[in-house]
Amino acid sequence: MPRVLFTGGGTAGHVTPNIALMERAGDHNWDIAYVGSASGIEREMVRGLGIPYFIVASGKLRRYFSWRNFVDPLLLFWGVAQSAILCRRWKPDAVFSKGGFVSVPLVVAAWLLRIPVISHESDITPGLANRIIYPLCRKICVTFEATLRYLPAGKLALTGTPVRKSILSGDPAAGLAYLGFSGEKPVLLIFGGSIGSAAINGLVLRFIRELVEIFDVIHVVGKGNLNESIVKLSRSENYLQKEFIGDQFGAILAASTVVVSRAGANSIYELLITRKPHLLIPLGKSASRGDQLENARIFKEYGFSKVLDEDSFVSPMASESIFVETIKDILEHGDEIEEKLKSFEIKDSVSLIFDLIKDSIRKC
């Protein structure tokens, strides 16, 4: 029976593809475990899966000055030592890394111990943690063809992103029942990622009355961001606010007519494969490395996504209603957008990556 360690964390986007692969591994009775941080979102998301969870220390390389930059390299070395001890004891046949800085210690330790590593990059432009570990990987899986030009050709595999069964098999009726919506109005799903988005939540606060006139609105605000002010302003049973949605997300996505989202690669991929007309509001460079801006730019060029930069609704020259008007336009042209989205090739990503992991074990 193959033994595989999975790792990745920091955001839900570094965890959900792992969950999709672990579902397949469980179907094949593989012996699997997860390696993550003590307090990251990965621990909370993996907790209910009934698999071992191992904690290792991890640092973070920042692009700005911080006193933590002097401490975190020590945490990285300690994390590598912890990971090496774990690998000696647990004896994995392979490691699968989805990225994030928590993955770096395990990948380094696995490379030192000659354990094959398969990694995955969701974004069009690779993140710093993934760029660090790529020389140590046996194979690098990528979601989008546009990413191929950034990475060493000999190791690449165009696989798409593993998606959970619950996303692919979402039932619209179950989604409406969970939300308590009648289905008489189109459903608008608004979410800003696993930790929410202050900018998107602020837009909803400003325009909720206009939105509930047209839609039943499900608004995922992020942990700790529930806002009673929006509920009061909506004055409507057509607005529902949640901190986070777990297993029901696939059904809610299936029930949705239009989606507003950040431009994280995993979120985009789920919208593309479910053919959902959507508006992307990418995280800007002031709060990120700019990967979401590049993701959104590419998919706007392909004609798959409508995009608004945050500056478009804070600029003095911007129309106050551009947010609502763009959503209305997506609703009006939803059928045309869905036809365009059908041109996006869907790959059986779970099978492709699962086979790569098996091949890496055979070649050990």
Side-chain angles (χ1 to χ4, degrees):
M1 179 190 302
R3 308 195 88 194
V4 179
L5 288 173
F6 292 84
T7 187
T11 67
H14 287 134
V15 186
T16 51
N18 272 323
I19 292 175
L21 285 167
M22 290 189 294
E23 289 175 343
R24 177 66 60 86
D27 292 342
H28 286 74
N29 295 314
W30 283 17
D31 195 1
I32 60 175
Y34 204 95
V35 177
S37 65
S39 58
I41 191 172
E42 62 273 12
R43 189 177 189 183
E44 183 176 340
M45 294 181 70
V46 173
R47 180 177 294 161
L49 301 181
I51 64 171
Y53 184 93
F54 300 112
I55 296 171
V56 299
S58 63
K60 180 178 179 180
L61 298 179
R62 298 166 181 81
R63 296 172 178 83
Y64 53 88
F65 177 79
S66 168
W67 67 268
R68 296 282 306 178
N69 290 337
F70 300 100
V71 176
D72 282 1
L74 300 177
L75 290 177
L76 175 61
F77 284 118
W78 175 231
V80 171
Q82 290 176 306
S83 298
I85 294 169
L86 170 62
C87 288
R88 288 289 192 187
R89 291 177 177 172
W90 207 74
K91 297 185 177 8
D93 298 301
V95 167
F96 179 79
S97 169
K98 187 58 197 71
F101 284 97
V102 71
S103 68
V104 176
L106 178 61
V107 171
V108 172
W111 177 76
L112 290 171
L113 296 172
R114 300 297 183 262
I115 299 167
V117 178
I118 307 295
S119 66
H120 185 275
E121 176 59 66
S122 293
D123 288 307
I124 289 174
T125 57
L128 180 56
N130 275 344
R131 294 203 305 272
I132 291 170
I133 67 172
Y134 283 151
L136 314 180
C137 297
R138 182 77 56 89
K139 209 73 176 177
I140 305 164
C141 306
V142 299
T143 299
F144 303 115
E145 189 172 358
T147 311
L148 297 175
R149 66 179 182 267
Y150 295 102
L151 296 168
K155 294 184 175 183
L156 295 180
L158 182 59
T159 63
T161 291
V163 175
R164 294 161 291 171
K165 294 175 185 176
S166 61
I167 297 293
L168 299 173
S169 60
D171 178 8
L176 289 174
Y178 174 79
L179 297 171
F181 293 155
S182 67
E184 296 176 3
K185 284 186 173 184
V187 175
L188 175 64
L189 168 62
I190 303 173
F191 70 102
S194 55
I195 59 175
S197 165
I200 293 176
N201 294 348
L203 281 172
V204 177
L205 178 62
R206 287 164 60 187
F207 298 114
I208 188 57
R209 289 180 181 171
E210 291 94 323
L211 293 174
V212 295
E213 288 179 4
I214 308 164
F215 296 96
D216 286 331
V217 180
I218 169 62
H219 180 196
V220 186
V221 297
K223 189 172 182 179
N225 294 327
L226 291 175
N227 188 334
E228 190 63 27
S229 297
I230 308 179
V231 178
K232 290 178 179 177
L233 276 173
S234 72
R235 297 179 181 174
S236 170
E237 295 179 355
N238 299 78
Y239 175 75
L240 181 63
Q241 190 178 114
K242 295 280 187 181
E243 281 190 302
F244 180 76
I245 298 174
D247 293 339
Q248 300 85 7
F249 187 76
I252 292 170
L253 187 59
S256 300
T257 313
V258 178
V259 180
V260 177
S261 170
R262 284 298 198 187
N266 289 324
S267 295
I268 293 176
Y269 194 77
E270 290 176 350
L271 295 172
L272 294 180
I273 67 172
T274 53
R275 315 304 194 196
K276 289 297 173 181
H278 57 274
L279 168 63
L280 301 178
I281 304 176
L283 197 63
K285 283 191 174 181
S286 62
S288 73
R289 63 183 178 87
D291 52 303
Q292 291 198 13
L293 291 169
E294 181 67 7
N295 293 342
R297 182 187 68 80
I298 291 290
F299 288 99
K300 181 180 180 181
E301 288 180 2
Y302 288 163
F304 296 148
S305 307
K306 295 285 187 180
V307 177
L308 285 178
D309 292 335
E310 287 186 12
D311 290 345
S312 64
F313 29 79
V314 297
S315 166
M317 303 299 293
S319 167
E320 277 289 298
S321 61
I322 189 170
F323 177 62
V324 176
E325 293 303 319
T326 303
I327 293 173
K328 287 181 181 178
D329 183 70
I330 294 170
L331 177 63
E332 183 179 349
H333 297 95
D335 291 341
E336 300 166 35
I337 296 170
E338 286 180 30
E339 283 302 311
K340 185 71 175 178
L341 289 171
K342 288 178 182 177
S343 67
F344 179 79
E345 180 186 2
I346 299 174
K347 296 180 179 293
D348 185 358
S349 305
V350 171
S351 293
L352 289 170
I353 297 175
F354 190 76
D355 288 343
L356 287 172
I357 297 172
K358 286 196 295 185
D359 288 344
S360 73
I361 293 172
R362 291 193 194 105
K363 293 175 181 178
C364 287

